[in-house]
């Protein structure tokens, strides 16, 4: 699962995007939307990881490789100590969600498709999810990514 966030400081809104692919890298599902009252890019990235994990767990995924472009979030999630930062509760929520997944790994990796979805999410008033077909807004990016990973 690739996740990314985008933050608009003027209106304190964060957009999020998540893409889940199978182990063969074939598209499975996509999710995007927005959060209000977000006060920093770090808070945005943490909320995005939590939203992606909630979404994946709700759909019954038991094995996840979670990739985010936020090294700070990856480090906070890998630290066994209680996180005492301003995003403490979000990080602890993520750790609890990761513990419910049979096999979970988190890593630092940027993803153009998740980033594009996050930018799109900034303008949405509700969440969108695609299960059986690719959303037209990311078809070209997914095709490009599949060719570059071969």
């Amino acid at each position: 699962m690739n996740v990314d966030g985008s933050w608009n400081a003027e209106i304190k809104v964060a957009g999020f995007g998540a893409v889940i692919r199978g182990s063969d890298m074939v598209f499975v599902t996509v999710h995007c939307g927005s959060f209000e009252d977000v006060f920093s890019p770090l808070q945005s990235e943490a909320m995005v990881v939590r939203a992606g994990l909630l979404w994946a767990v709700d759909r019954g995924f038991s094995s996840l490789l979670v990739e985010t472009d936020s090294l700070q979030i990856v480090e906070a999630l890998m630290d066994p100590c209680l996180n005492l930062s301003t995003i403490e509760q979000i990080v602890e929520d993520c750790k609890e969600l990761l513990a419910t997944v049979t096999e979970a790994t988190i890593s630092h990796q940027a993803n153009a498709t998740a980033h594009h979805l996050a930018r799109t999410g900034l303008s949405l008033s509700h969440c969108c999810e695609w299960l059986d077909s690719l959303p037209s807004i990311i078809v070209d990016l997914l095709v490009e990514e599949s060719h570059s990973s071969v």
Side-chain angles (χ1 to χ4, degrees):
M1 175 174 67
N2 300 103
V3 294
D4 198 8
S6 185
W7 183 54
N8 183 319
E10 289 179 24
I11 60 173
K12 305 292 187 251
V13 170
F16 69 88
V19 179
I20 294 180
R21 296 177 183 85
S23 58
D24 56 1
M25 296 305 290
V26 173
F27 164 83
V28 174
T29 185
V30 173
H31 183 57
C32 68
S34 64
F35 304 109
E36 295 180 349
D37 300 321
V38 180
F39 298 98
S40 74
L42 185 61
Q43 180 188 15
S44 169
E45 293 291 345
M47 291 176 74
V48 165
V49 172
R50 180 175 60 188
L53 286 169
L54 279 168
W55 174 62
V57 167
D58 284 349
R59 268 126 198 94
F61 288 94
S62 60
S63 178
L64 283 174
L65 167 58
V66 180
E67 296 178 333
T68 175
D69 65 354
S70 175
L71 184 57
Q72 282 181 284
I73 298 301
V74 171
E75 290 172 345
L77 291 173
M78 295 176 78
D79 187 345
C81 297
L82 181 65
N83 185 293
L84 299 176
S85 72
T86 58
I87 58 167
E88 167 190 359
Q89 189 56 58
I90 303 168
V91 170
E92 294 306 315
D93 288 351
C94 290
K95 287 179 180 181
E96 287 182 26
L97 285 163
L98 284 166
T100 68
V101 177
T102 305
E103 184 180 334
T105 306
I106 185 129
S107 71
H108 180 242
Q109 178 70 46
N111 181 269
T113 303
H115 179 74
H116 185 75
L117 285 166
R119 302 272 305 153
T120 300
L122 279 172
S123 63
L124 298 176
S125 59
H126 62 281
C127 294
C128 294
E129 179 176 26
W130 292 267
L131 294 169
D132 298 323
S133 61
L134 290 171
S136 60
I137 58 172
I138 62 166
V139 169
D140 291 341
L141 288 169
L142 285 171
V143 169
E144 185 178 314
E145 283 177 7
S146 69
H147 290 307
S148 66
S149 66
V150 174

